[in-house]
Amino acid sequence: MFVPEPIPHVRKPRVHREVVSFTRRGGRLTERLQKGWDDLSATHVLDIPRSTTSTSLDPEFRLDLAKAFGREAPTIMEIGSGRGESIVHAALENPDKNFLALEVYVPGVAQGLVTMRHLGATNVRFAVVDAAAALATMLPEASLEELRVWFPDPWHKKKHNKRRLISPDFAPLAARVIQPGGYWRLATDWQEYADHMHEVLSEAAGFDYSGTWAPRFEGRPVTRFESNGLEVGRDIRDLSARRLSE
Ligand SMILES: C[S@@+](CC[C@H](N)C(=O)[O-])C[C@H]1O[C@@H](n2cnc3c(N)ncnc32)[C@H](O)[C@@H]1O
């Protein structure tokens, strides 16, 4: 009787991964979101060369913002745009500006594309990429008028705190991409993360920070995520810092 040789178990080389601020990235798209993605991703989602995973970035890649948006205009970027509610709202309010959304959760990006089309915004582009990597190399220096981070994952367990996006290491990346006079705006519903953000901004080189909570930023609509926080009685904290000239 012929007995086949066992196929040797080949271990895939392990891709080295830094600690990242996210876990979920994919998930199945509903038919509606898949159609939105198919219709709009070629024109409105940046084509990014990867180094390893689907959210990684070839460190040699430099983004040409004028090419990505088809025009020169001040650019506002949101990290962790979720379902795209805030960025599409802001884009509609400011048609003379470019809005770049970085988000690793593909169904969220697909929802953002669908909302953008539904409401008629043309000045939004999405990028499925780890924001920390994008800030370090992909974006040109001083290329942003504003950097917004609304309700980043709080990673509230002590053992997970190291996954938080906003950290002392993140501050120089923000300083690299925000132009002098531009703003870094943050919001969270998690008080302990707000206190941590406050410490990061207090220590961040190259920023003018008032040292107090900012008034609610009027350009920020209440997202589903924020209303969940409000429903369970959390306080919402806004923070902002202005990039100084060198
Ligand atoms: C708690 S949700 C908030 C979403 C949205 N800003 C809102 O207010 O509804 C945080 C989002 O940040 C995204 N995210 C986390 N780390 C990221 C990273 N390093 N780069 C890009 N997106 C990230 C997550 O996928 C998630 O959608």
Side-chain angles (χ1 to χ4, degrees):
M1 191 177 69
F2 172 72
V3 180
E5 295 246 318
I7 300 169
H9 177 67
V10 181
R11 268 187 103 106
K12 277 198 177 163
R14 269 171 65 89
V15 174
H16 173 72
R17 287 172 54 98
E18 307 277 334
V19 176
V20 289
S21 60
F22 52 90
T23 48
R24 52 173 203 167
R25 299 193 300 272
R28 276 173 72 85
L29 296 182
T30 60
E31 209 174 303
R32 186 180 67 90
L33 293 185
Q34 184 66 56
K35 178 159 175 17
W37 179 270
D38 293 345
D39 291 349
L40 297 162
S41 60
T43 47
H44 290 79
V45 180
L46 302 183
D47 186 14
I48 293 178
R50 310 294 177 183
S51 55
T52 50
T53 63
S54 60
T55 54
S56 71
L57 172 67
D58 177 345
E60 299 297 316
F61 175 61
R62 302 286 174 271
L63 178 62
D64 181 339
L65 283 165
K67 204 167 150 204
F69 284 90
R71 66 173 184 177
E72 303 261 6
T75 302
I76 295 176
M77 188 168 94
E78 185 185 340
I79 293 178
S81 50
R83 296 158 51 85
E85 293 151 279
S86 298
I87 199 144
V88 172
H89 170 91
L92 287 165
E93 299 265 294
N94 300 276
D96 54 330
K97 298 191 179 184
N98 293 336
F99 287 83
L100 179 59
L102 304 191
E103 175 54 67
V104 289
Y105 184 54
V106 173
V109 173
Q111 179 59 60
L113 289 167
V114 169
T115 307
M116 179 198 80
R117 175 166 62 184
H118 178 66
L119 298 178
T122 55
N123 49 337
V124 188
R125 299 293 178 272
F126 294 85
V128 180
V129 67
D130 175 12
L135 260 62
T137 57
M138 180 181 95
L139 287 151
E141 273 177 41
S143 54
L144 302 181
E145 188 179 86
E146 278 189 31
L147 172 63
R148 299 175 179 176
V149 193
W150 305 145
F151 304 95
D153 299 292
W155 292 108
H156 53 270
K157 286 189 186 157
K158 192 108 199 121
K159 65 176 180 182
H160 290 147
N161 283 181
K162 60 179 182 291
R163 284 180 164 271
R164 286 178 173 165
L165 183 71
I166 308 304
S167 69
D169 290 346
F170 184 85
L173 303 179
R176 192 183 87 78
V177 295
I178 302 173
Q179 66 199 39
Y183 281 88
W184 181 12
R185 300 186 193 280
L186 298 161
T188 181
D189 65 345
W190 195 259
Q191 185 60 44
E192 199 231 315
Y193 201 4
D195 293 338
H196 173 75
M197 289 172 175
H198 166 73
E199 276 168 35
V200 169
L201 290 188
S202 303
E203 299 290 316
F207 287 97
D208 179 22
Y209 172 55
S210 69
T212 54
W213 307 126
R216 184 194 168 90
F217 177 56
E218 58 186 26
R220 183 167 64 73
V222 179
T223 61
R224 199 160 72 165
F225 189 86
E226 179 174 357
S227 45
N228 290 345
L230 288 169
E231 258 171 42
V232 293
R234 298 210 186 110
D235 290 326
I236 309 299
R237 299 292 188 202
D238 278 73
L239 300 92
S240 81
R242 190 165 164 274
R243 181 75 172 94
L244 297 167
S245 311
E246 295 301 341

